[in-house]
Amino acid sequence: MIRRILYSFFLALLGMPVLSQTMDLSQFVDPMIGTAKMGHTYPGATVPFGSVQLSPDTDTIPYEVNGRYNPEVYRYCAGYQYDDETIVGFSHTHFSGTGHSDLGDFLIMPTSGPLQLNPGTAENPDSGYRSRFSHDHENAFPAYYQVGLEDYGINAELTATTRVGVHRYTFDRGKDAHIILDLMSGIYNYDNKNLWTFLRVENDTLVTGYRETSGWARTRKVYFALSFNKPIANYGHQKYDEKQAYKGFWRRFNERENFPEAAGRKIKAYFDFDLEDGEEIILKLAISPVSTAGALNNMKTETPNWDFDAIHQAGVEQWNKELNKVQVNTLEEEDMVNFYTAMYHAFLGPTVYMDVDGSYMGLDRNVHKAEGFTNYTSFSLWDTYRTLHPLFNVVQPSRNRDMIKSMLAHFDQSVHPMLPIWSHYANENWCMIGYHSVSVISDAVVKGNVDFDTERALDAAIQTAKTSYFDGIGEYMTKGYVPEDVSGASVSKTLEYAYDDWAIAQMANKLGAEDIAEEFGKRAKNYKNVFDPQSGFMRPKLKDGSWKTGFDPLDTHGQGFIEGNAWNYSLYVPHDPAEMIRMMGGNKQFVPHLDSLFSMDLPDKYFANTEDISREGIIGNYVHGNEPSHHAVYLYNWTDQAWKSQDKLRMIMKTMYRNGEDGLGGNDDFGQMSAWYIFSALGFYPVAPGSVDYALGSPLVTKAKINLENGNQFEVEVKGQSSKNVYVSKVLLNGKELTEPFIQHDDIMDGGKLTFYMSARPNKN
């Protein structure tokens, strides 16, 4: 009832002539959306692009069992599963919506009563320090998370700044109050993941240390400073690697109790406090990529006091500043929640990766200082180049420039040298395919969002694209395709390399490098080399030039594709849709082919062993829950039946994005799914980053205002909007009717108004 009243008030505000005021849009964000099943998001406390993502972890599923991958761990990519009944603790670093994982650093758990340092099991919570909890006593909002820990009578509240997690724990039973710091705990954990842990008790309120792990990032070191608002009464730790052959002369000490330093591969520490019933403890944990001194300076700079509520309110204000970059009105409150939750998810990462003084750990394992830019990490580029970074070029242009500078710093520190593929915490993970940093850079250059050395950026893109020993590129350069018997997922690689090469050509054209533009323009046509005109699909070739036998266009396994099948991936020529349509038989054959993508049946057996594809993310054979198909519905704009995209877009927005913990039809993949929704709800979409064109669709909003960083405003107005009026009868740009279903980047950045007129019947002209 309260939210409905607030929504009515918000609609009244939107009807006012002045829309530039900062509104409380955080009320429409629901961090619980996507916390179950495929969503892999987390409901904790963070600020936009924050280094700290402080969130509950609900289990300790190991990455491997008996030396083999444990499929159950996949559900815990973000650490939190809505269906779980216990919380293990609150860790400070998480990925949002990724299909693989790491992090989960510095898990804190408050307890009372007899001390336990083992987390126990979900089946027997009393065997460890975990606690039961109920969703009836759990709340999540931007920059805030609260839950009741039932087994201890503790009310846990979390908030955060960019580099500091702030905890407030209120103990119903103050006697025997403990704060556990589990340095062993982590996400996607396994027995030897911890390389080393270290801590020092500096005084009766301050603890420092670090944790070094080898996982997805094979050499990752994070430092911390932990401060309490009350003096520690007693403390101690337990080592779980006592079989170490050489222990030196530390054996002369009783290290386990009230000894001010600890070192080992597997350490769990505890801190005891003398509390009255109902008393609270506030603690702050700051992180740093370079040193404990850096972590402490981060803490002192960002949280100079102990006012939890003020820190929380500052975080809410940060979120409202970002959310207000796009102000929208929708017919239904549910759509409003989906839109601003998508904005929230889109602004969770990439994350800031440097101390307040600019210091950060580089790919070369040396300490660097970011001069004149903010250094970022966690580039999930196979996902985010498609829509998230193009969204940033509209609503976060200065951040996107800093992200590109971070990529160029990565290149400078790379021994290969190459731009990032999938990188985080000063590590290259080499995850997924393509060299999509070049897409992000090209999109910014072509759209004029530059304050970096564009010649250097072009050279870095060329060097990356010519690294012959990376993932079949050598064969790709000599043969014009990646042979399946040389490198698996060969068709996907060929198609994505061809797109990236086109992006390099566009950047070269913009910069006047005609020879480079010609060279990579030719490489961009390599997609033709894996098209089989007899089957009408892209399919894998062998190194002798023959087609691989046993081809099944519906199967995702062993067919030359990664996380997709030939039906979906054959449509992946975003840089040359017109030629792709001609190859596939022109409008007469292509349109029915595309129609059938949304209406046919894809049996479960075809994706049963692909973790990132599940039934809830599929419509027909169209896999919206994974990225390679995200542009497909907009391909109608290159045919003579553009109207066919419009009802399908509205269907996708309504079925793949819903309120509730199962609200996302796939992994959010660090904001890619959410960025798709934001653009599509506004009515336009960047099919080919590196182009200035946006394809028009069917907007879900009734009104929108984009408050641009350059001071301009771009408005979207939708007349005749309803759940039945999903077709566009005409579109006006600044009062002039459009004759093609496209607008350009400058149309947005120059400010103005895009007006859609909606109808229950398609405009087939």
Side-chain angles (χ1 to χ4, degrees):
M1 174 62 74
I2 293 175
R3 177 172 272 178
R4 285 200 297 271
I5 294 171
L6 289 172
Y7 188 57
S8 298
F9 177 70
F10 180 81
L11 294 183
L13 280 178
L14 279 176
M16 295 171 63
V18 178
L19 277 173
S20 58
Q21 60 186 298
T22 299
M23 302 179 184
D24 182 12
L25 298 176
S26 66
Q27 64 183 298
F28 297 108
V29 173
D30 184 356
M32 284 295 177
I33 290 177
T35 57
K37 294 186 179 178
M38 291 293 289
H40 285 162
T41 56
Y42 58 83
T46 187
V47 295
F49 306 97
S51 299
V52 164
Q53 310 93 26
L54 177 55
S55 183
D57 296 336
T58 56
D59 217 332
T60 54
I61 301 297
Y63 178 78
E64 63 176 10
V65 175
N66 297 324
R68 302 188 66 175
Y69 171 68
N70 174 20
E72 182 67 11
V73 75
Y74 184 77
R75 298 174 59 239
Y76 292 89
C77 288
Y80 180 94
Q81 269 293 315
Y82 188 85
D83 291 338
D84 286 351
E85 297 178 351
T86 61
I87 284 175
V88 176
F90 308 99
S91 64
H92 290 75
T93 58
H94 293 83
F95 286 133
S96 177
T98 54
H100 197 71
S101 204
D102 205 347
L103 309 183
D105 298 296
F106 310 129
L107 183 136
I108 296 284
M109 185 62 177
T111 68
S112 61
L115 177 67
Q116 298 192 77
L117 291 179
N118 189 305
T121 64
E123 295 77 20
N124 183 14
D126 296 328
S127 64
Y129 61 69
R130 73 175 66 214
S131 174
R132 298 168 181 85
F133 78 106
S134 167
H135 297 303
D136 293 337
H137 299 99
E138 180 186 36
N139 292 284
F141 305 101
Y144 180 80
Y145 176 84
Q146 175 274 328
V147 69
L149 301 176
E150 295 179 353
D151 292 347
Y152 303 115
I154 296 173
N155 184 49
E157 298 173 277
L158 313 176
T159 190
T161 66
T162 299
R163 299 168 181 86
V164 186
V166 185
H167 310 232
R168 180 164 65 187
Y169 299 122
T170 305
F171 290 73
D172 285 350
R173 303 183 296 274
K175 185 179 180 181
D176 296 327
H178 318 287
I179 299 293
I180 294 169
L181 172 61
D182 191 336
L183 296 175
M184 288 175 56
S185 184
I187 298 171
Y188 270 40
N189 230 4
Y190 48 88
D191 192 45
N192 295 315
K193 185 172 182 176
N194 268 22
L195 299 178
W196 203 246
T197 55
F198 175 77
L199 65 83
R200 286 161 50 105
V201 180
E202 306 283 359
N203 55 50
D204 64 356
T205 60
L206 177 64
V207 182
T208 62
Y210 68 80
R211 176 176 185 246
E212 186 173 7
T213 62
S214 180
W216 198 14
R218 68 178 181 179
T219 306
R220 191 178 68 90
K221 199 170 187 177
V222 189
Y223 295 85
F224 75 90
L226 169 62
S227 183
F228 301 96
N229 72 331
K230 297 182 185 299
I232 301 165
N234 296 286
Y235 62 90
H237 74 273
Q238 176 67 50
K239 292 182 183 177
Y240 291 82
D241 55 345
E242 296 293 349
K243 294 182 180 179
Q244 186 176 335
Y246 179 72
K247 301 177 184 178
F249 290 90
W250 292 91
R251 62 182 178 271
R252 69 180 64 183
F253 300 110
N254 174 15
E255 293 184 71
R256 294 188 178 187
E257 297 178 3
N258 295 318
F259 192 75
E261 59 180 325
R265 289 181 180 84
K266 301 176 181 179
I267 288 178
K268 297 178 183 181
Y270 65 90
F271 307 94
D272 298 337
F273 296 86
D274 294 326
L275 301 180
E276 301 294 330
D277 290 354
E279 195 171 353
E280 67 182 31
I281 290 178
I282 299 176
L283 64 92
K284 302 184 287 193
L285 191 146
I287 65 173
S288 165
V290 295
S291 67
T292 57
L296 187 57
N297 188 40
N298 293 340
M299 181 191 296
K300 290 178 178 178
T301 302
E302 294 187 353
T303 57
N305 57 52
W306 291 95
D307 192 335
F308 180 96
D309 294 326
I311 296 168
H312 166 221
Q313 186 56 39
V316 173
E317 290 170 3
Q318 286 186 60
W319 275 114
N320 274 320
K321 178 183 176 183
E322 302 303 327
L323 297 174
N324 272 275
K325 290 181 175 178
V326 186
Q327 297 172 330
V328 304
N329 178 11
T330 61
L331 287 177
E332 299 177 18
E333 182 190 348
E334 179 178 1
D335 297 329
M336 195 81 163
V337 172
N338 282 333
F339 187 90
Y340 283 108
T341 302
M343 289 273 287
Y344 172 83
H345 285 152
F347 295 165
L348 289 175
T351 57
V352 172
Y353 186 65
M354 69 179 199
D355 289 340
V356 292
D357 68 355
S359 300
Y360 68 95
M361 183 66 68
L363 194 67
D364 56 4
R365 310 311 300 167
N366 291 316
V367 176
H368 298 261
K369 183 162 283 191
E371 301 288 353
F373 73 101
T374 299
N375 190 60
Y376 287 87
T377 191
S378 297
F379 291 110
S380 182
L381 290 162
W382 186 79
D383 311 294
T384 58
Y385 83 90
R386 305 167 196 266
T387 318
L388 184 68
H389 286 283
L391 177 68
F392 291 165
N393 274 329
V394 177
V395 299
Q396 298 281 1
S398 59
R399 287 189 194 269
N400 203 54
R401 294 193 299 268
D402 280 359
M403 290 171 190
I404 290 171
K405 291 174 185 177
S406 304
M407 294 177 190
L408 293 174
H410 175 113
F411 177 85
D412 291 340
Q413 297 156 16
S414 169
V415 73
H416 296 286
M418 288 183 69
L419 290 162
I421 303 300
W422 208 126
S423 63
H424 79 281
Y425 281 68
N427 279 259
E428 176 58 80
N429 302 337
W430 304 111
C431 185
M432 300 309 291
I433 62 173
Y435 29 89
H436 297 309
S437 291
V438 308
S439 169
V440 176
I441 297 170
S442 171
D443 196 46
V445 170
V446 169
K447 291 172 178 172
N449 184 26
V450 293
D451 69 349
F452 50 88
D453 186 338
T454 54
E455 298 294 337
R456 172 174 164 242
L458 179 59
D459 289 344
I462 294 167
Q463 171 63 38
T464 301
K466 290 186 175 181
T467 306
S468 60
Y469 55 85
F470 173 69
D471 224 12
I473 287 180
E475 296 281 346
Y476 171 81
M477 289 192 293
T478 58
K479 294 181 178 295
Y481 66 95
V482 178
E484 181 67 15
D485 49 349
V486 171
S487 185
S490 61
V491 188
S492 294
K493 290 172 185 175
T494 300
L495 295 174
E496 296 196 24
Y497 292 161
Y499 160 73
D500 285 335
D501 292 341
W502 171 86
I504 294 173
Q506 304 315 296
M507 176 165 41
N509 265 325
K510 181 77 172 181
L511 300 177
E514 295 179 4
D515 54 336
I516 299 300
E518 182 179 1
E519 176 186 355
F520 281 89
K522 290 178 180 178
R523 284 177 49 155
K525 297 185 184 299
N526 283 341
Y527 68 87
K528 295 182 178 182
N529 297 330
V530 290
F531 179 71
D532 173 19
Q534 282 195 316
S535 68
F537 292 101
M538 308 287 182
R539 59 179 294 193
K541 268 184 178 177
L542 304 178
K543 59 185 176 182
D544 64 5
S546 64
W547 297 113
K548 182 179 181 295
T549 58
F551 177 63
D552 185 342
L554 290 178
D555 204 348
T556 59
H557 311 127
Q559 298 293 323
F561 301 94
I562 187 168
E563 296 186 10
N565 60 22
W567 252 99
N568 282 271
Y569 246 114
S570 293
L571 301 171
Y572 185 81
V573 190
H575 58 292
D576 202 358
E579 178 61 15
M580 179 193 69
I581 291 167
R582 187 200 63 77
M583 284 169 38
M584 292 185 173
N587 286 329
K588 189 173 182 179
Q589 288 182 247
F590 180 79
V591 172
H593 175 88
L594 189 56
D595 290 344
S596 63
L597 178 71
F598 296 93
S599 60
M600 64 190 300
D601 177 56
L602 181 64
D604 288 357
K605 67 177 182 178
Y606 286 117
F607 58 89
N609 297 319
T610 305
E611 286 181 318
D612 291 284
I613 300 175
S614 62
R615 175 57 62 191
E616 60 263 29
I618 298 174
I619 299 171
N621 184 22
Y622 167 71
V623 185
H624 187 76
N626 215 13
E627 282 68 28
S629 304
H630 273 189
H631 70 293
V633 68
Y634 286 96
L635 292 175
Y636 285 109
N637 283 27
W638 280 265
T639 74
D640 58 357
Q641 298 180 48
W643 57 271
K644 284 195 169 181
S645 70
Q646 294 160 14
D647 62 332
K648 296 176 182 62
L649 280 164
R650 293 288 281 273
M651 173 185 63
I652 294 167
M653 284 185 270
K654 284 293 189 180
T655 57
M656 295 289 107
Y657 302 85
R658 304 177 309 278
N659 288 191
E661 67 277 2
D662 286 331
L664 292 178
N667 290 340
D668 193 54
D669 281 317
F670 239 129
Q672 166 58 26
M673 281 273 287
S674 292
W676 185 97
Y677 182 87
I678 292 165
F679 268 124
S680 295
L682 293 172
F684 52 93
Y685 185 83
V687 169
S691 165
V692 297
D693 293 330
Y694 295 84
L696 299 182
S698 177
L700 186 62
V701 302
T702 60
K703 183 185 295 186
K705 180 170 283 190
I706 303 175
N707 296 305
L708 298 164
E709 200 172 273
N710 62 14
N712 294 333
Q713 293 180 331
F714 184 73
E715 295 183 49
V716 176
E717 185 176 21
V718 185
K719 295 185 178 294
Q721 179 69 285
S722 75
S723 60
K724 294 181 179 179
N725 291 354
V726 299
Y727 295 104
V728 178
S729 60
K730 66 177 179 179
V731 183
L732 276 60
L733 178 62
N734 298 326
K736 183 178 179 180
E737 186 169 354
L738 299 177
T739 58
E740 299 287 341
F742 302 97
I743 59 171
Q744 294 193 327
H745 185 69
D746 284 348
D747 295 329
I748 300 169
M749 304 310 289
D750 290 344
K753 179 180 284 190
L754 187 68
T755 306
F756 290 84
Y757 289 80
M758 308 304 292
S759 173
R761 295 181 180 181
N763 178 355
K764 298 185 179 182
N765 296 319

